[in-house]
Amino acid sequence: MIPSSLILYDLAGADPALRFSPFCWKIRMALAHKGLDVTTLPWRFIEKEAIAASQQERVPVLVDGEEWIADSWRIALHLEKKYADRPSLFGAPQAIPLTRFFNTYADTVLAPAIGPLVLLDIAACLDDPNRAYFRATREKFFGRTLEELVADKEAHRATLTRVLAPLNRTLTDQPFFAGEEPAYADYCLFGMFMWARCVSPQELLTEQEALHGWRARLLDRFDGLAGKACRIGG
Ligand SMILES: N[C@@H](CCC(=O)N[C@@H](CS)C(=O)NCC(=O)O)C(=O)O
């Protein structure tokens, strides 16, 4: 691990040890992949002023010297360029646009499939002011109450099964999406599973699914960085 002065603003629950943002997990794994040490600062939804220098209101935010970088994809590209002598997050330059597809699939297909299964679990992890903010912003965005959003669990489970099918199929013949070793494409998807794992006791995967073994391999990587992470009730 290379000592560095990198700082990551990392979404936390009421318990500062509970770090559950899927986007922050992508970057935690990316930093570990690069062998870069980082100080993670717990950040809550309503603490906008703490990250004002990034000129936006969401985490992850990486502070690298004088630079404040927001958005997980931009942070990954920054790490790849600035720490080019460290293990590549993409494997090769031509894999960057392909990895972008995995990032988009994770954010726009996998996250909306997992979200309805864990929204109430997330709300339960927050302190009162952050829970009120979370509820108000999500209910405004979706135009429905959290309770309405999570209703019909069977349908949400069926959607998740459909969304996971191409991922499970891909992993039947290879240990990671990037091949023999994991890369950023894996971390994009893995972040979403960490999101659910940190906040919810529900199991999203069966042992028969190839994703189950893949997730276990990533939980073990980097001395169990993700596997040892704080979980609700655990
Ligand atoms: N596209 C962004 C998404 C970041 C994002 O939505 N982060 C959430 C935490 S998981 C956030 O900070 N939300 C603040 C809010 O809802 O006000 C990325 O990839 O980093």
Side-chain angles (χ1 to χ4, degrees):
M1 203 53 88
I2 296 194
S4 78
S5 56
L6 294 171
I7 292 171
L8 183 73
Y9 285 89
D10 193 10
L11 185 67
D15 176 352
L18 186 72
R19 308 296 179 87
F20 64 93
S21 159
F23 309 103
C24 293
W25 271 108
K26 292 180 192 180
I27 298 305
R28 297 280 302 275
M29 297 297 280
L31 287 161
H33 182 108
K34 287 263 175 208
L36 295 168
D37 215 359
V38 65
T39 302
T40 64
L41 298 181
W43 178 89
R44 276 74 177 209
F45 289 108
I46 61 175
E47 293 168 6
K48 303 299 188 197
E49 71 291 347
I51 56 168
S54 71
Q55 306 194 333
Q56 53 85 63
E57 301 193 329
R58 291 170 179 265
V59 292
V61 169
L62 183 76
V63 186
D64 188 352
E66 297 292 299
E67 278 183 279
W68 287 65
I69 309 129
D71 186 77
S72 55
W73 180 253
R74 288 188 57 233
I75 295 171
L77 294 179
H78 166 85
L79 294 174
E80 185 70 354
K81 194 167 167 198
K82 178 146 181 194
Y83 302 97
D85 56 329
R86 312 292 305 155
S88 171
L89 287 172
F90 302 98
Q94 60 269 34
I96 295 179
L98 287 174
T99 304
R100 190 168 200 161
F101 169 76
F102 281 87
N103 192 51
T104 303
Y105 188 85
D107 293 3
T108 65
V109 181
L110 185 53
I114 293 178
L117 295 165
V118 300
L119 275 178
L120 284 180
D121 294 317
I122 296 171
C125 295
L126 306 174
D127 63 14
D128 289 345
N130 280 285
R131 186 178 306 119
Y133 172 88
F134 181 77
R135 180 178 279 280
T137 51
R138 275 53 185 175
E139 292 187 346
K140 183 167 178 216
F141 182 81
F142 291 109
R144 286 191 285 163
T145 65
L146 291 189
E147 286 71 16
E148 284 166 350
L149 285 164
V150 304
D152 204 355
K153 248 194 161 98
E154 295 275 290
H156 295 315
R157 279 272 172 188
T159 300
L160 183 63
T161 302
R162 261 201 324 278
V163 163
L164 297 183
L167 305 180
N168 272 312
R169 185 146 172 187
T170 303
L171 288 175
T172 53
D173 292 328
Q174 60 194 67
F176 296 104
F177 291 98
E180 288 304 309
E181 290 296 324
Y184 197 66
D186 292 274
Y187 309 144
C188 289
L189 298 164
F190 181 69
M192 302 301 152
F193 289 96
M194 282 305 287
W195 181 37
R197 178 182 158 90
C198 292
V199 298
S200 173
Q202 295 171 73
E203 184 47 85
L204 298 183
L205 301 170
T206 64
E207 280 182 33
Q208 288 69 46
E209 287 175 272
L211 280 164
H212 193 278
W214 165 85
R215 185 183 57 181
R217 288 188 284 280
L218 288 172
L219 286 168
D220 282 349
R221 281 272 152 158
F222 315 125
D223 294 327
L225 171 72
K228 289 182 207 155
C230 176
R231 301 178 69 180
I232 203 75

